[in-house]
């Protein structure tokens, strides 16, 4: 078993490259434009001759600018990843990676409901795929560096009252439905250290 600490360079694409507002009659949800950011992750996992697995928690915070001012935005994700090694007998292990993600975005004062302002939250699901190198620095230290592609679809929006399916929200007040998930993807550079115990 090992404890993993890593840093990840994130650059969100698609629906998180512009500020937008989605509506549901008396509710409005602010969706931020997210800039390039660095996230920190901590996790626990296991290693065997053929690869590793880990469960990790990822966190980043940034400030998003809206017409009415700035708001703090938090991106978090609970992720499960597995890596399959090549060159299993050598201390340097090139690998392929696959995994799943349960992401969460919180926007400070990002929702309004019947005139009351509250925090907005968006929940979803995602898939991870990547490749990299894991190096056994010593008997109890692992170094990992890689490139990972993360695809995310946000399913639900919360903030003041009942949560709403993002598919059913509207692009303007009483306008047409958004009609799909809120989508983003990112190509992520990651580097980390694992400590075997």
């Amino acid at each position: 078993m090992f404890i993993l600490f890593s840093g990840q360079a994130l650059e969100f694409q698609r629906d998180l490259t512009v500020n937008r507002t989605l509506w549901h009659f008396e509710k409005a949800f602010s969706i931020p434009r997210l800039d390039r950011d660095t996230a920190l992750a901590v996790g626990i996992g296991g290693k065997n001759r053929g690869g590793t697995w880990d469960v990790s928690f990822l966190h980043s915070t940034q400030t998003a600018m809206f017409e009415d001012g700035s708001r703090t935005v938090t991106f978090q994700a609970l992720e499960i990843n597995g890596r399959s090694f090549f060159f299993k007998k050598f201390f340097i292990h090139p690998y392929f990676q696959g995994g799943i993600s349960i992401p969460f975005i919180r926007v400070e004062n990002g929702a309004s409901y019947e005139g009351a302002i509250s925090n907005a939250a968006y929940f979803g699901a995602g898939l991870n795929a990547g490749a990299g190198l894991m190096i056994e620095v010593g008997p109890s230290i692992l170094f990992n560096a890689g490139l990972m592609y993360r695809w995310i679809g946000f399913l639900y929006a919360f903030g003041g009252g009942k949560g709403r399916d993002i598919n059913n929200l509207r692009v303007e007040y009483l306008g047409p439905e958004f009609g799909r998930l809120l989508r983003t993807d990112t190509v992520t550079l990651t580097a980390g250290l694992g400590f075997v115990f």
Side-chain angles (χ1 to χ4, degrees), residues 104-121:
F104 167 81
I105 292 178
R106 178 186 176 272
V107 183
E108 178 187 32
N109 298 329
S112 66
Y113 174 55
E114 296 181 341
I117 303 298
S118 62
N119 296 329

Side-chain angles (χ1 to χ4, degrees), residues 16-28:
L16 298 183
T17 59
V18 295
N19 288 337
R20 72 177 74 225
T21 301
L22 294 179
W23 300 82
H24 186 273
F25 300 109
E26 75 283 6
K27 286 188 176 185

